């Protein structure tokens, strides 16, 4: 990912989103050839010369002070995530020398965090990295996200990217990836009723991660794969939107348990850079609480036991759907 192009396209895309009226500038009913603000208008609002801002928008951001970047951020009315992204782009552009893209070692979740996950029996809990790889999950997390873990798209992608490497459901090195599931698995739209919104949020989070870690080879490979195989991903990626995902509500339609609406919270693990704990809980007294309780019961039931689902469905020996729940991921499923 070329830093100059990233900076240029990000600033142009943000400038196009701000109208003169939003910026408090008079238009005198003139016909405008470009959407949003002109370069000279951004320069005026930021208190810099037009030539100086033009150089910034062309990607020449090396040596630019934080004060100027803050002024440009205010002129473009950037939100918290967009400001952070611009600062990340400037930080990496100002690095002494570009580093060769490398494949980072597989991230491991500390034993203490794994014990914390195991202790969460009434909530869904998973740990992800910035590439949306699922690094670990508790029992209920594996049960809820079974379609993601068992998705054929995960393993097919591994074979296409690295044909010399063995791939398959039992391959230790393969981690479930939320973005790959969203854009390459045809069942993702059924699992996520709000699939389009979740897809847009996921791309925005990957774009933010790319600004922080432009030399992450695995991230660059993921973006390249999804850009070539999904037209929607390519379109969303070209929008340069970024987002910080901290709390909210997410809807699921589990193939066994049915519909759930769960509140999620996120917590960055300060001792493990790049790892985030996601927890999902149901509103007390809601139908989703009953459904989540059923899913927890099902997850802890031996596979040979037949259990009635809330909608009248059953699981039978040999057909535990969508995947036999385990506890931790980290490259393998533990029964």
């Amino acid at each position: 990912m070329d830093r100059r192009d990233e900076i240029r396209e990000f600033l142009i895309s943000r400038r196009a989103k701000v109208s003169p009226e939003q910026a408090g500038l008079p238009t005198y009913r003139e016909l405008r050839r470009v959407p949003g603000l002109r370069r000279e208008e951004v320069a005026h609002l930021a208190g810099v010369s037009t030539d100086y801002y033009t150089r910034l928008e062309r990607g020449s951001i090396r040596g630019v002070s934080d004060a100027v970047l803050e002024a440009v951020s205010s002129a473009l009315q950037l939100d918290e995530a967009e400001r952070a992204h611009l600062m990340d782009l400037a930080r990496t552009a100002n690095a002494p020398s570009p580093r060769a893209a490398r494949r980072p070692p597989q991230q491991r979740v500390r034993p203490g965090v794994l014990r914390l996950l195991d202790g969460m029996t009434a909530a869904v809990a998973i740990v992800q990295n910035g590439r949306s790889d699922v690094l670990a999950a508790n029992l209920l997390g594996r049960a809820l996200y079974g379609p993601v873990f068992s998705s054929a798209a995960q393993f097919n992608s591994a074979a296409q990217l690295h044909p010399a490497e063995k791939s398959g459901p039992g391959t230790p090195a393969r981690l479930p990836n939320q973005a790959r599931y969203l854009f390459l698995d045809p069942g993702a739209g059924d699992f996520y009723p709000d699939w389009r919104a979740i897809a847009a949020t996921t791309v925005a989070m990957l774009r933010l991660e790319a600004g922080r870690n432009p030399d992450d080879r695995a991230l660059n490979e993921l973006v390249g794969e999804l850009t070539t195989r999904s037209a929607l991903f390519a379109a969303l990626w070209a929008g340069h939107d970024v987002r910080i995902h901290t709390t909210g509500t997410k809807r699921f339609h589990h193939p066994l348990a049915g519909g759930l609406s769960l509140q999620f919270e996120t917590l960055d693990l300060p001792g493990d850079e790049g790892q985030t704990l996601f927890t999902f809980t149901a509103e007390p007294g809601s139908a989703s609480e009953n459904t989540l309780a059923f899913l927890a019961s099902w997850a802890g039931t031996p596979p040979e036991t037949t259990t009635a689902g809330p909608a009248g469905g059953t699981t039978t020996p040999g057909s535990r759907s969508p995947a036999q729940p385990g506890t931790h991921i980290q490259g393998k499923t533990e029964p």
Side-chain angles (χ1 to χ4, degrees):
M1 301 179 187
D2 185 86
R3 293 290 88 188
R4 292 177 65 93
D5 288 344
E6 287 287 307
I7 294 165
R8 177 179 61 82
E9 292 172 11
F10 177 68
L11 289 176
I12 290 174
S13 69
R14 298 311 95 177
R15 178 162 59 86
K17 288 179 176 292
V18 183
S19 69
E21 291 78 11
Q22 289 174 315
L25 297 175
T27 60
Y28 306 110
R29 301 182 182 274
E30 59 184 322
L31 181 64
R32 303 175 70 87
R33 294 180 297 174
V34 296
L37 298 176
R38 297 169 175 148
R39 288 194 183 99
E40 59 266 27
E41 291 170 333
V42 176
H44 170 73
L45 293 168
V48 298
S49 70
T50 300
D51 286 343
Y52 187 78
Y53 176 75
T54 299
R55 290 198 299 272
L56 292 184
E57 198 172 275
R58 288 174 178 168
S60 300
I61 206 168
R62 185 180 294 273
V64 177
S65 68
D66 287 351
V68 170
L69 294 176
E70 285 291 348
V72 171
S73 297
S74 297
L76 295 174
Q77 302 182 13
L78 303 187
D79 62 21
E80 179 186 0
E82 292 167 331
R83 285 173 182 261
H85 186 57
L86 181 59
M87 292 296 181
D88 285 336
L89 293 175
R91 173 182 54 80
T92 55
N94 288 325
S97 60
R99 296 169 294 173
R102 59 183 178 84
R103 179 178 294 278
Q106 181 172 301
Q107 296 182 17
R108 295 287 178 176
V109 180
R110 289 183 291 111
V113 177
L114 296 178
R115 289 193 294 271
L116 176 64
L117 293 181
D118 286 340
M120 302 171 118
T121 57
V124 172
I126 64 174
V127 176
Q128 287 187 196
N129 60 20
R131 297 187 298 274
S132 76
D133 291 327
V134 181
L135 303 178
N138 66 355
L139 192 66
L140 191 49
R142 280 202 60 85
L144 177 63
Y145 279 98
V148 179
F149 300 143
S150 62
S151 171
Q154 310 281 3
F155 310 113
N156 293 342
S157 297
Q160 290 179 13
L161 284 174
H162 306 288
E165 299 177 8
K166 179 183 177 183
S167 64
T171 304
R174 194 64 177 177
L175 291 170
N177 182 275
Q178 298 268 23
R180 188 173 285 113
Y181 172 74
L182 275 164
F183 289 97
L184 302 184
D185 193 304
D190 295 326
F191 183 59
Y192 290 116
D194 304 312
W195 174 80
R196 182 62 182 254
I198 293 174
T201 297
T202 299
V203 174
M205 293 172 67
L206 288 177
R207 175 66 81 174
L208 196 64
E209 179 68 13
R212 287 191 292 257
N213 297 299
D215 302 314
D216 186 331
R217 178 183 166 189
L219 175 60
N220 291 335
E221 286 181 351
L222 175 65
V223 171
E225 175 192 2
L226 297 181
T227 299
T228 57
R229 299 184 63 190
S230 169
L232 176 60
F233 181 91
L236 291 172
W237 186 256
H240 287 267
D241 291 332
V242 292
R243 193 170 305 172
I244 296 175
H245 209 38
T246 55
T247 185
T249 300
K250 184 174 287 188
R251 295 196 302 145
F252 303 86
H253 190 274
H254 191 272
L256 172 70
L260 302 95
S261 179
L262 303 178
Q263 287 75 51
F264 68 86
E265 300 289 340
T266 63
L267 175 66
D268 291 332
L269 300 178
D272 304 281
E273 185 179 357
Q275 295 185 16
T276 302
L277 172 64
F278 289 78
T279 62
F280 296 83
T281 57
E283 188 73 25
S286 66
S288 291
E289 183 182 41
N290 295 332
T291 304
L292 196 61
F294 162 77
L295 198 56
S297 175
W298 172 79
T301 302
E304 64 271 17
T305 301
T306 300
T307 307
T314 61
T315 59
T316 57
S319 63
R320 193 182 251 295
S321 174
Q324 168 65 41
T327 303
H328 306 135
I329 313 302
Q330 302 209 141
K332 67 178 181 178
T333 301
E334 297 182 1

